[in-house]
Amino acid sequence: ADSFISLTGNANLSAPAPLSLCSIENYIDLWEDIHFCPVQRLALADFYESAKGGERTENDDWLDNYLDYCEWRGVTCDERKNVINLILPNFGLSGKLSEKISKLEALETLDLSSNNMKGSIPSEIGSLSKLTYLRLCYNEFTGQLPSQLGDLQHIELLQLHDNRFKGIVPSIKLEKTRFNESSFIADCGVPSVFDAPLICLDCTMCCNSKSECYPTEETNIQKSNFSSYKEFTWVFFLSDTGIVIMIFLVSFMADKYNHRSEPIQSSIQRSESMKRRAKKYAFDKMGERSVYSFFLGKNWCGWMIALAVLGVQLWVLFVFVIGAEQDLSDDKSDFVFTWKCFRD
């Protein structure tokens, strides 16, 4: 039969009880007494063991039986002994992130960057309602990101890059932040360690497998309510064509109206005179050796040459327009990631 230890009424037992004693869950009667066995100390101990903190070569005070958990390295508490900061970058952790991290209900800052942690992110992390600062970058976390990340209503900084996440990053609306481009970073750039990079619609910066990054802010075209340079080019081209046609029609109708009572013969002579002047003006502006001068003649061969040249030039223009698109997820793009995200 399992043993059970009763400590109730023990006058020699001070609070809090030794950590090793509280770790014997379900075998002592006081392990659920938060006065003797603080929940947050147990949560920190479980976090440390899951993260394989005990395999670190450097000795520290973590899991000390009698030392206040608020004095453990990287832990900060408020006046009520609630853990508000857990800051352990480059701490030699190589295990998994425990789901009991959710027991640290007052946690505001969680920084586990630059370790070697593995496994997936537990969905329980979404219950840390006061979390504002979350750095999990430069680890080896894998799998899909939990949708519960979207429940972090007060998050100001979220850095997930340089891991092995895949799929879609949940929609997360950050609070107004002082971190600007660095406030929300994920591996949504190319090349990626997978066939396709992460999809992150809310990220402020995307990084690739080379740790090269680029901000995702809107281009001037997008700020003007165009989805892409291609859309802007089509709108500009069609608008320009429409304006030219409109000017021609207005000019034609105005000329007809102004000379409505003119004899037909005089009208024909005036029209021919205007054509000669317009042709001379066009030649002067574009040059007689310009391929576009064929448009002023009646030779169909010349017209075909001019149209072919115009088509090639429009095609080249279209290639440049496509090349100007800022698509951080296109592995065939010539887009250059010009930012470097340093570990510190």
Side-chain angles (χ1 to χ4, degrees):
D2 293 334
S3 301
F4 186 78
I5 304 173
S6 178
L7 298 175
T8 303
N10 189 330
N12 295 321
L13 184 63
S14 60
L19 175 61
S20 57
L21 187 61
C22 291
S23 299
I24 312 175
E25 296 184 9
N26 300 317
Y27 289 95
I28 63 171
D29 58 347
L30 293 178
W31 79 271
E32 287 186 322
D33 188 325
I34 60 174
H35 183 62
F36 285 92
C37 297
V39 173
Q40 296 186 69
R41 183 177 65 168
L42 290 173
L44 286 171
D46 186 83
F47 157 79
Y48 192 73
E49 291 172 355
S50 295
K52 296 184 179 181
E55 297 182 4
R56 299 175 59 246
T57 55
E58 182 180 351
N59 188 24
D60 53 45
D61 296 322
W62 270 79
L63 306 188
D64 186 277
N65 262 320
Y66 300 99
L67 183 67
D68 188 341
Y69 62 89
C70 291
E71 297 182 21
W72 293 354
R73 181 178 170 183
V75 178
T76 306
C77 298
D78 61 15
E79 64 278 1
R80 296 183 179 181
K81 302 188 74 63
N82 292 313
V83 178
I84 57 174
N85 296 329
L86 182 56
I87 304 176
L88 299 172
N90 197 24
F91 199 60
L93 303 176
S94 59
K96 298 181 178 181
L97 180 58
S98 170
E99 65 273 6
K100 290 189 178 179
I101 194 75
S102 61
K103 299 294 184 181
L104 307 178
E105 297 177 351
L107 195 64
E108 298 175 3
T109 299
L110 178 59
D111 187 352
L112 303 177
S113 59
S114 300
N115 283 286
N116 193 32
M117 297 189 70
K118 303 174 180 65
S120 59
I121 305 300
S123 59
E124 287 81 1
I125 199 169
S127 64
L128 297 174
S129 59
K130 296 184 179 180
L131 198 63
T132 60
Y133 187 102
L134 177 59
R135 293 190 78 219
L136 301 177
C137 49
Y138 300 107
N139 280 284
E140 294 185 20
F141 287 116
T142 58
Q144 300 268 357
L145 286 160
S147 61
Q148 287 80 3
L149 278 175
D151 297 334
L152 300 175
Q153 299 296 317
H154 301 292
I155 197 76
E156 295 180 10
L157 182 137
L158 178 58
Q159 296 183 346
L160 305 170
H161 56 290
D162 276 83
N163 282 288
R164 298 180 65 84
F165 297 122
K166 60 182 180 180
I168 301 175
V169 179
S171 179
I172 303 171
K173 300 300 182 183
L174 272 64
E175 289 278 300
K176 188 176 181 180
T177 174
R178 66 184 185 278
F179 299 106
N180 299 322
E181 293 91 350
S182 302
S183 58
F184 190 179
I185 311 178
D187 296 322
C188 42
V190 291
S192 170
V193 293
F194 298 106
D195 291 337
L198 273 174
I199 298 175
C200 185
L201 300 180
D202 298 319
C203 280
T204 58
M205 187 175 295
C206 284
C207 296
N208 59 24
S209 58
K210 299 178 182 179
S211 297
E212 300 167 340
C213 308
Y214 200 85
T216 61
E217 74 265 10
E218 290 184 330
T219 63
N220 291 330
I221 290 294
Q222 291 169 331
K223 290 177 181 178
S224 301
N225 295 321
F226 293 100
S227 62
S228 63
Y229 281 97
K230 182 167 65 174
E231 179 185 343
F232 169 77
T233 302
W234 276 114
V235 171
F236 178 82
F237 176 76
L238 294 176
S239 299
D240 197 38
T241 303
I243 291 173
V244 170
I245 293 174
M246 186 178 299
I247 292 175
F248 170 77
L249 292 175
V250 170
S251 299
F252 178 79
M253 297 302 294
D255 182 69
K256 285 290 185 181
Y257 179 80
N258 292 332
H259 300 89
R260 60 188 181 278
S261 58
E262 187 178 32
I264 296 177
Q265 188 63 32
S266 298
S267 177
I268 294 174
Q269 292 175 352
R270 182 177 53 80
S271 177
E272 290 297 327
S273 176
M274 289 178 63
K275 287 180 180 180
R276 287 193 296 272
R277 289 199 304 270
K279 189 173 182 178
K280 183 177 182 306
Y281 177 82
F283 271 123
D284 291 341
K285 290 299 180 182
M286 70 174 112
E288 292 187 11
R289 295 184 179 181
S290 171
V291 69
Y292 293 118
S293 64
F294 287 129
F295 285 126
L296 301 176
K298 297 181 180 181
N299 188 304
W300 283 103
C301 183
W303 267 75
M304 294 299 294
I305 294 173
L307 286 173
V309 171
L310 179 61
V312 170
Q313 290 180 330
L314 289 175
W315 176 77
V316 171
L317 173 63
F318 188 75
V319 170
F320 276 94
V321 169
I322 297 299
E325 300 290 4
Q326 181 176 305
D327 187 355
L328 304 182
S329 63
D330 185 1
D331 202 9
K332 298 180 180 179
S333 172
D334 293 329
F335 191 82
V336 177
F337 289 71
T338 56
W339 292 52
K340 269 287 187 184
C341 291
F342 297 103
R343 289 177 177 264
D344 56 356

